[in-house]
Amino acid sequence: MNVALIGAGNVATHLGLALQKVNISICGVYSRKKSSATTLSAQLSCFGTTHLDALPQADIYFLAISDDAIIDIARQLTRLFPTATLVHTAGSVPLKALSNIHHPAGVLYPLQTFSKERMIDFSEVPLFIEATDNPTEEKLLDIAHRLSKNVAILPSDKRQLLHLAAVFACNFVNHCYALAEDALANSGVHIEALLPLIQETARKVHELSPCTAQTGPAVRWDKSVMAKHEDLLKTSPAIQEIYRMMSHSIHQTALRHAKNPKQRND
């Protein structure tokens, strides 16, 4: 089996390195940017190109590209490689986006945040699979089990909910870290001072539900403390509004949890 990577960004880079590690042959990398195609193809010791029609024939083409580009690229690949399997890696794009254009098709969604600058253990990354047919599903399961210890079949509607949850759990949380760093800008305190707090907050949800683990002035609805915080944010109205909305949401969630403490889905 040999595969080609469509895209050379964060996901494609980590997926390509993981595939190479388990001895799955990568015959080519495509990217719209020549520098990206050159960099990743050099890492993987394979052919790199900015032209889809220059790619070699592969059994599977992994589309690790932006959601908006998937349909257009899939149409082009269908014309060029009509017998190949097309697989996208997106969390929010349904399988039908591919299956309406091409067959066989599938999804291999890695539930992780990827940055080229930071290597991770791909064997720990949860992989969620979906396919148009049984042979394609078996093929993707074989690849996924070689890549990761955590593999599951998940339909599009549930994968989209998982992706939404991941945005809250990762992207929004990381943005809060960025806002915290901004808040410290003139304090003389570096964000490293927050790292033990961040680490313990993450560790707690391994043992407690997020609702049970929640602390802070918003849970108690400590208006005096929250008013002082809002005053500190008076020169940043947009951030001040985020603070108000988050505080209100935390308090309302705490009230709901108090009424129904068994709401965690175990």
Side-chain angles (χ1 to χ4, degrees):
M1 179 192 300
N2 64 352
V3 305
L5 295 174
I6 309 301
N10 292 328
V11 176
T13 297
H14 282 271
L15 177 60
L17 292 171
L19 289 167
Q20 187 180 65
K21 188 175 181 180
V22 297
N23 298 315
I24 293 176
S25 176
I26 303 170
C27 63
V29 171
Y30 161 84
S31 176
R32 289 176 298 177
K33 295 181 180 179
K34 184 177 181 179
S35 59
S36 298
T38 300
T39 298
L40 184 54
S41 62
Q43 281 183 275
L44 300 174
S45 301
C46 68
F47 176 72
T49 182
T50 57
H51 301 283
L52 286 173
D53 58 4
L55 281 170
Q57 181 73 42
D59 299 304
I60 299 177
Y61 292 83
F62 281 103
L63 283 70
I65 52 180
S66 67
D67 292 6
D68 292 341
I70 288 174
I71 292 176
D72 178 59
I73 294 294
R75 285 181 176 142
Q76 295 182 60
L77 289 171
T78 297
R79 290 193 295 269
L80 293 167
F81 309 105
T83 62
T85 300
L86 303 187
V87 177
H88 78 64
T89 61
S92 62
V93 178
L95 176 60
K96 283 186 178 180
L98 283 182
S99 63
N100 287 341
I101 298 168
H102 184 91
H103 195 282
V107 178
L108 188 151
Y109 170 50
L111 181 62
Q112 187 53 275
T113 174
F114 296 107
S115 297
K116 293 180 184 178
E117 299 80 8
R118 179 175 170 81
M119 292 297 102
I120 63 169
D121 182 356
F122 209 92
S123 69
E124 300 290 338
V125 177
L127 299 179
F128 295 90
I129 305 301
E130 190 178 13
T132 53
D133 54 88
N134 289 334
T136 303
E137 182 179 282
E138 290 301 318
K139 188 184 298 184
L140 289 180
L141 283 172
D142 174 60
I143 293 173
H145 282 297
R146 291 164 71 176
L147 292 173
S148 173
K149 296 180 287 188
N150 190 344
V151 177
I153 298 170
L154 196 69
S156 292
D157 57 342
K158 294 183 178 180
R159 177 166 38 83
Q160 289 172 325
L161 290 173
L162 179 62
H163 186 256
L164 171 62
V167 168
F168 275 101
C170 174
N171 306 132
F172 287 1
V173 169
N174 190 74
H175 181 60
C176 287
Y177 297 158
L179 296 182
E181 187 172 37
D182 288 345
L184 291 173
N186 298 316
S187 70
V189 181
H190 194 269
I191 194 171
E192 287 180 356
L194 296 177
L195 293 182
L197 174 65
I198 290 170
Q199 290 163 357
E200 175 58 16
T201 302
R203 280 194 293 262
K204 280 202 294 187
V205 296
H206 287 269
E207 300 176 17
L208 305 173
S209 76
C211 289
T212 301
Q214 187 74 58
T215 60
V219 172
R220 304 186 301 270
W221 205 239
D222 190 330
K223 294 182 180 180
S224 175
V225 172
M226 291 190 294
K228 290 176 183 177
H229 289 169
E230 289 187 31
D231 185 61
L232 290 170
L233 293 168
K234 61 186 177 184
T235 59
S236 304
I239 308 305
Q240 189 183 60
E241 182 60 20
I242 290 174
Y243 181 93
R244 288 196 189 104
M245 293 176 66
M246 288 285 282
S247 295
H248 182 265
S249 181
I250 288 169
H251 187 62
Q252 292 300 310
T253 301
L255 292 176
R256 287 197 306 272
H257 180 69
K259 293 178 181 178
N260 184 16
K262 294 183 180 181
Q263 64 183 355
R264 177 172 182 170
N265 293 321
D266 292 316

